[in-house]
Amino acid sequence: MRTDLFDLHRGDTPLLISIPHNGTHVPDAIASRLTDEARRVPDTDWHVADLYAFARELGASMLVPTHSRYVVDLNRSEDDVSLYPGQNTTGLCPVVRFDGGPVYLPDAAPTPDEVTARVDTYWRPYHAALADEIARLRAAHGRVVLWEAHSIRGTLPFLLEGPLPDLNLGTASGASCNPELEARMTARLQAQSTFGFVANGRFKGGHITRHYGRPETGVEAVQLEISQRCYMDEATFAWDAARAGRLQPLLRTLIEDAIAHATGDARRA
């Protein structure tokens, strides 16, 4: 399903990959109010849909928005409650970039009414599609794993103290999935030595992981935040085929493991 807001590929396995920060489009009426730096949409999760393109061949569903997080952040709750109280972060309609600089020109930030309108126009359709696809897969298979695919620059002093590990697994500290799935992902990451990783470190999972991950209802959710140095040039935002080629086999194995876990659970249900 393609709309002007998102692209939904419907697969035939109990796995859905959501990539809420892959979009880059900013409507002209908003873009004209952004700073020069923000118009480059630097805080995009660049190329993540390309990084996981193989997952469609494995039967995974995939949901990818068209619009930038600067329009509205699809991985924040609509009430804009901070996911990380006491730490620097960005909001539902960000006014600060990840480097601490302004998103908007002076006096051009969105009003509360505009934020509400953006939620209605962009946020709700994405979440409706997400919920509907989860329901479709759960009805077909009994269970479903939601994989939240993200990436971020590996060094961001405004948000992070020191460099971020290569791979950052988040399960809301174990609340968004069954222990078996977290253990399986962790064991897979521990078995390799190419990429450093941490589980439930700085990134424990955003709103989507925390909201939809309800293992007691048959819906498990995990988030993987990837440091962009692992597959691209962070300065130019350019895809690096050699780096990506080293990372994708591990990602493929993780996705295969997640599908096997979901399928196995469905058969036992």
Side-chain angles (χ1 to χ4, degrees), residues 51 194-195 227-235 238-249:
L51 198 60
T194 303
F195 300 98
S227 291
Q228 291 174 343
R229 62 176 177 267
C230 296
Y231 69 91
M232 58 175 274
D233 185 311
E234 293 185 325
W239 171 266
D240 187 315
R243 295 184 197 179
R246 289 190 291 270
L247 176 60
Q248 284 177 308

Side-chain angles (χ1 to χ4, degrees), residues 45-218:
D45 290 15
W46 296 101
H47 311 296
V48 175
D50 295 328
L51 198 60
Y52 283 92
F54 64 84
R56 299 187 183 211
E57 303 169 7
L58 299 177
S61 294
M62 188 177 294
L63 181 62
V64 186
T66 56
H67 286 63
S68 168
R69 74 193 307 155
Y70 287 168
V71 177
V72 68
D73 191 330
L74 300 168
N75 200 30
R76 297 290 186 271
S77 63
E78 59 181 304
D79 60 11
D80 206 12
V81 172
S82 176
L83 296 170
Y84 299 97
Q87 302 181 63
N88 285 341
T89 186
T90 57
L92 179 62
C93 289
V95 296
V96 178
R97 304 192 305 266
F98 285 174
D99 63 5
V103 171
Y104 289 89
L105 297 168
D107 302 318
T111 64
D113 285 347
E114 183 180 355
V115 172
T116 298
R118 291 191 199 179
V119 168
D120 290 340
T121 301
Y122 304 103
W123 190 95
R124 294 194 193 285
Y126 188 87
H127 282 266
L130 186 62
D132 287 349
E133 185 63 8
I134 288 172
R136 182 186 76 85
L137 293 174
R138 183 168 54 178
H141 301 281
R143 303 188 68 82
V144 59
V145 171
L146 171 62
W147 186 277
E148 270 290 290
H150 294 261
S151 76
I152 192 170
R153 277 170 286 170
T155 302
L156 283 168
F158 179 70
L159 297 179
L160 311 166
E161 183 177 346
L164 191 68
D166 296 328
L167 304 175
N168 302 266
L169 185 70
T171 64
S173 298
S176 66
C177 69
N178 287 318
E180 295 82 3
L181 178 57
E182 182 174 355
R184 189 169 192 161
M185 298 294 101
T186 302
R188 182 66 69 181
L189 291 168
Q190 288 174 334
Q192 56 82 44
S193 58
T194 303
F195 300 98
F197 84 96
V198 67
N200 291 305
R202 173 63 173 84
F203 295 102
K204 302 179 188 298
H207 169 71
I208 293 175
T209 300
R210 302 183 198 197
H211 177 74
Y212 292 96
R214 296 286 184 269
E216 69 278 5
T217 70

